[in-house]
Each structure stands twice: as structure tokens, then as C-alpha cells.
Amino acid sequence: MAPEAAARPTRAELRLAAREQSRAQRRGAAKAATRTALLRVALPSVAALGVAAAAAITVQGEADQQRAQAAGRVPAQATADDAPDGTAARTAVQVAADGGRPQASRGDARQPLAGTQPTEAPPAPAPAPEPVKPKVVMPVAQHGLGELFGEAGSRWANRHTGIDFPVDGGSQVMAVADGTIRTQWNPFYGYMSILKMSDGTETWYCHLRSYKIRKGPVKQGDVIAFVGSSGNSTGPHLHFEVRPAGSGPIDPLPWFLANGLDPR
């Protein structure tokens, strides 16, 4: 027999190989069909289990809510039907677990805290400044001096104890500051008014014709008397003296100048 003939399979062997191949294909198809059937059965079962678990969770949440309502800690209207995802049920359970205190969620709008942002009141307008009131005013309206302080003369026993304002008789005499008035007669000074200030300083107004205010409190600039020539006088004029508390007469001119007035 030739070598080529010996290498070819016989007809019987070909039929046997074809049967084996057909069996293998049928076994493979059967296994694939079995796996498909198992998957068709298993997937619905898993879905059913998921639905059953969700239902069990919902039932458990409703039971917890009912127990909380029975205890009086959760409002009756807070049910699972309020939101499709069961948010209301979970909130009710949380409220019950927290002892009835509602919990704020992240979705809640933040409310401003009352009283934490005080409104600043506008500043009150500054009061208008009052005009500066001089410490003293002139005792007569007319400036100009006659005899000065400390001068010697035949009409005085020692030295002149004040300054003289040579003004017409009947001219008004004013209080140089606030104080209290008293009046008296003196043979040398004639009719005189004495004004005592709050610091104890006295101002004397002498040789008067008459008084307008004999006694009591007066204000700066009030008319207290009228110029005359009473007492030891040679003609109408106002003799004016300044006597600090506990002291004798001082020169009125520097006193006026220190208060911003020049009577000359």
C-alpha cells in the first residue's frame, strides 16, 4: 500500500468524527440554554428581594413613626407620604429620637439672628455754640477816664481809691457782672451801690443821684442806678472801685483789661 493511502482516514473514521463533533455542539448549546434560563429566573428574584426589602424598611419607618406619635413627640401630619423618597418619615424618626427637637437641614434657608446686627443711630446734631459771654461789662456806656487810681488830691484823705468816669448826670449805671446788690449812704461816697459777685469780689458805684435796684440779685448789664454828684464831689461823675474778697481796693484799670475791656 502506498504511503498516501495509509494516511487518509477511512470512511468509518470520518463518520465517527462527525458524530463526536455533533455531540459536542449539542452539549455546548444545552449549557448555554441552561445559563440563560438561570439568569431569567435569578434576575426577577433579585428585583423581588429589593422590593421586599424596601417595603420592609418603609413598614419599619411607619411603625417607628406611629410609636413616636403615640408618645406625643411627633406631629401626626409628618408621614412618609409627604415626600416620595421617605424624607418626612426619616425626619419624624429623627425628631422622635432627639426628644422632640426639630433638626435643621442643609436645605433650610438661613434666617438672620434678631438683635445681632444693631442699627447705628445717626449722631445727634451738635448744639449751636453759645456766644461767649464776657466776664464783665462796662459800668457806663461812655468810655473815657478822669481821675485814675492812686492819684493824690485835696479831696481825698489819702489816695484816690478808684477810677472816675466823667459822664453826664442821670446816665445809666450797669452791673458789671451777675451778683447781689445792696445800697447805702456815705458822707464821702454819697449814695452808693455795692455789687457782690459769686467769687466775693465787690464793685462800688459812688456819687449816685438815685437807685433803680436797691437790693437783691441782678444780672450782668442790668441798670442799677443813675449818675449824680452826691457826697464829696465837684460835679456829676461815676466813681468806680474794685475790692476783691478779703482785700482793700485795687486798680480797676488792669482788672478791666484782664477781662478784655479797655475803659479809656
Side-chain angles (χ1 to χ4, degrees):
M1 181 177 296
E4 294 80 1
R8 293 196 196 100
T10 62
R11 187 175 296 175
E13 291 173 345
L14 292 173
R15 285 198 296 272
L16 180 59
R19 283 197 297 274
E20 291 295 332
Q21 185 177 3
S22 176
R23 289 194 192 99
Q25 290 176 350
R26 286 196 298 275
R27 284 196 298 272
K31 289 179 179 180
T34 300
R35 285 196 298 270
T36 302
L38 288 174
L39 290 173
R40 288 176 180 174
V41 172
L43 288 176
S45 299
V46 170
L49 285 174
V51 172
I57 292 173
T58 302
V59 170
Q60 182 64 30
E62 292 177 351
D64 292 340
Q65 180 185 1
Q66 290 174 358
R67 287 195 296 274
Q69 291 176 358
R73 293 193 301 247
V74 180
Q77 64 268 21
T79 62
D81 295 336
D82 293 340
D85 57 354
T87 303
R90 289 196 300 274
T91 303
V93 174
Q94 290 173 357
V95 170
D98 292 337
R101 296 188 302 272
Q103 300 292 320
S105 66
R106 292 183 179 180
D108 294 340
R110 293 185 179 181
Q111 300 296 327
L113 297 178
T116 57
Q117 301 294 332
T119 56
E120 192 171 320
E130 295 183 359
V132 178
K133 190 176 183 180
K135 294 181 180 179
V136 297
V137 296
M138 290 282 291
V140 291
Q142 180 179 331
H143 287 234
L145 297 178
E147 303 291 342
L148 299 179
F149 179 83
E151 290 187 357
S154 60
R155 296 182 299 276
W156 312 298
N158 294 305
R159 299 280 180 172
H160 195 214
T161 53
I163 56 177
D164 290 344
F165 291 88
V167 294
D168 296 335
S171 299
Q172 292 180 338
V173 178
M174 278 85 69
V176 296
D178 296 351
T180 304
I181 283 287
R182 74 178 190 271
T183 59
Q184 67 185 46
W185 164 263
N186 183 284
F188 299 100
Y189 291 106
Y191 294 108
M192 57 185 299
S193 294
I194 300 173
L195 170 67
K196 187 173 184 178
M197 304 181 203
S198 58
D199 64 351
T201 299
E202 290 185 349
T203 52
W204 289 13
Y205 312 79
C206 307
H207 306 305
L208 302 175
R209 173 186 293 179
S210 59
Y211 308 116
K212 183 174 183 180
I213 300 176
R214 288 182 173 272
K215 185 178 180 180
V218 294
K219 292 294 184 181
Q220 181 187 78
D222 285 350
V223 177
I224 58 174
F226 302 94
V227 173
S229 185
S230 59
N232 187 10
S233 172
T234 59
H237 70 281
L238 174 67
H239 176 85
F240 180 83
E241 292 188 10
V242 176
R243 295 176 178 249
S247 172
I250 63 172
D251 190 350
L253 180 58
W255 184 80
F256 275 117
L257 295 175
N259 284 279
L261 293 174
D262 190 348
R264 292 171 294 188

